[in-house]
Structures are given as structure tokens and as C-alpha cells.
Amino acid sequence: MNDKQDAEYTKGKKIGLVFGEFIVELTANAELKIAADKYAAFIALAGDCIDGQSENIKGNAVLKKDFRIKSCTQGLIVAKVIYAWSYNTGNIVLATQMKLVISDFKLKDSLCLSLLRQILAVATANKTILLTYGLTNALLIDYAANIAGYEANVVIPTHAIGEKHNDTLGLEAALLNAETILHNVIEPLMGPYSISNVEFFNKFSSANQDIIIGRHSHRDPMIPIGYINVVIRNKVTLDLIGFGMVKIVGEETIYPTNVNGFVKIECVQGVINGKVSAIDFLSGTFTATVTDVEQTIEVLLDPEV
């Protein structure tokens, strides 16, 4: 999950909390309730994908290493027993094959598994006679189990990577669907609440933000910062003005507002000056004192004549 997806998912959880707080108002608006439920479902699906992404396939690597060490150690022991038997019986070819040292097992997984299986096959085919050389059935059974565990954990990471890829695609789709519903249905339907229920509207607007970090993204942690919410309205009608732009004097970053004329901005604490613009409106300015308490600033713009 990248930073943008993390912001969208976090935003979705916050919006869900706001809708839960204002469930009476939400339920009274049938279309908004339907859209909110769909949005929540896609956010929940995104959460499931995030959980899937976070599965640690490194655990398989740990198991693989453990099974490899056990099976190689046992393989060397079994090979030495086979060597002693083949030497005693004059089977020079087999004795040569089984005259192994631990470094002979330092191979790629596929080759190492092939060698381990070869040793197991010879031992299994001659287990009765090898029993007299001290090679017990219990050791062979455990050896076979460790080889199987080693092989399984060579294969599992490949599947896990595939599943992670699927989760990544699922996350992208879920968040895209959630954002589509949010921007095309929920945000427009929330507009009337800016007049009829300002608290509901403000809390929704505050939650509905992917926080924009400007020049302070690599800020000195000793410099205190705060947040301001800028809302743009028509000075004549007091209607919200969507898709405006805000610029803090002294910064290069331009902060676009959403369809509801709202944007949250991170700023260094202290007095700041801002400029606001929107299509078909005269530009405006504002001055604010940023503190550790989040505040909302409304800027009224005059329509162009």
C-alpha cells in the first residue's frame, strides 16, 4: 500500500465514523444512506486487501531455512550410513555417490532437494539391511518429513507473492470504486447540510481529506505545526465554491479544494497569509494564526461581474 492509498483508506475510516455519529441524519436521506453503505463496503474490502498484503511471506523463508538445515543434517547422516554399507559390500559406484560432506549440500534449492531425495530413495529401498547399520525407521520417517517441509516452503512463497499481487490489484479497485462514489454521489449530497446541519457537514468535510503536506514534508521535528481547514463560499449567496485553489504566501505548493470548496492544510505554527482563487470569482486573501488546535477558515469570494 502506497501513501496515497493509505490516505484514502484512512479517510474512508474517518468518514465512516462521522456517518456513524450522525446515523439519524444519514438514515433520513435514503440516497445518501445507500451511497454511504456502498462506500463503506468498498472501504471494508480495501481493508481486507490490506490485511492480505500484510501477510509476512518472510515466515516461509524462516521455515524453509529450518527444514533445509534439518534435512541436510539428516541427509548427511543417512548418506554416511549408506556409504559404510556400500563400502562393505563392494558397491564402489554407490559408495562414491554417498561419500559426501556438508558442503556438498550447499546448492540451489532445486538441486539440494534432488540430492536429498536421492539419498532418501536409496535408504528407503534398502531400509531392512540398513537397519543393521543403525538406520532406524523413525529417522527415515523424520528425514522424509523434513524434506517435504523444505520442498513445501520453497513453493509457498511463490504462491504468497501471487496472492499479494492479487490483493494489490483488489486494493486499487476497491479504493477507486470508493472514491468514485464519494466524489460523484456523497460529496454533492452533503452540500445541503452546510446550511441545514453545519456540524454534520463540517465533521464530514474534516474527515474527507487526504492531508496535503507541502514544503514541511521533511520538516524539522522541533518546529511545531498545526492544521487549518479552508472553506470557500460565494460572498453573495454563501453557496460553497468547489474546485478552488489556496496558496500560502511564501510557499510554492498550491492546495486544490474539493467539490465542497474544502481543503485541509498542514502549516508551521504562527501567523500565515493565504490567497484563494476560483473560476468566475475574484481572488481573495486571508490571515490566520496557526496553533496546535485545528481551525476552520471561511473565505468569501466576490463573483466576477
Side-chain angles (χ1 to χ4, degrees), residues 17-86:
L17 292 175
V18 173
F19 283 152
E21 181 180 352
F22 292 89
I23 189 64
V24 174
E25 290 80 359
L26 184 66
T27 304
N29 188 329
E31 290 302 321
L32 180 59
K33 179 66 164 61
I34 291 172
D37 287 345
K38 289 181 180 178
Y39 179 72
F42 281 120
I43 292 299
L45 179 59
D48 291 339
C49 293
I50 291 170
D51 289 341
Q53 280 187 328
S54 65
E55 289 181 1
N56 191 355
I57 63 175
K58 290 182 179 179
N60 297 117
V62 172
L63 286 173
K64 185 187 79 171
K65 181 179 179 181
D66 185 51
F67 279 120
R68 174 171 177 142
I69 291 173
K70 289 179 180 178
S71 56
C72 289
T73 301
Q74 291 175 329
L76 182 60
I77 293 171
V78 174
K80 286 183 178 297
V81 173
I82 296 174
Y83 171 81
W85 166 62
S86 57

Side-chain angles (χ1 to χ4, degrees), residues 42 45-46 49 164-176:
F42 281 120
L45 179 59
C49 293
K164 184 174 181 180
H165 177 66
N166 291 337
D167 286 325
T168 299
L169 295 179
L171 175 61
E172 291 175 357
L175 290 176
L176 177 60

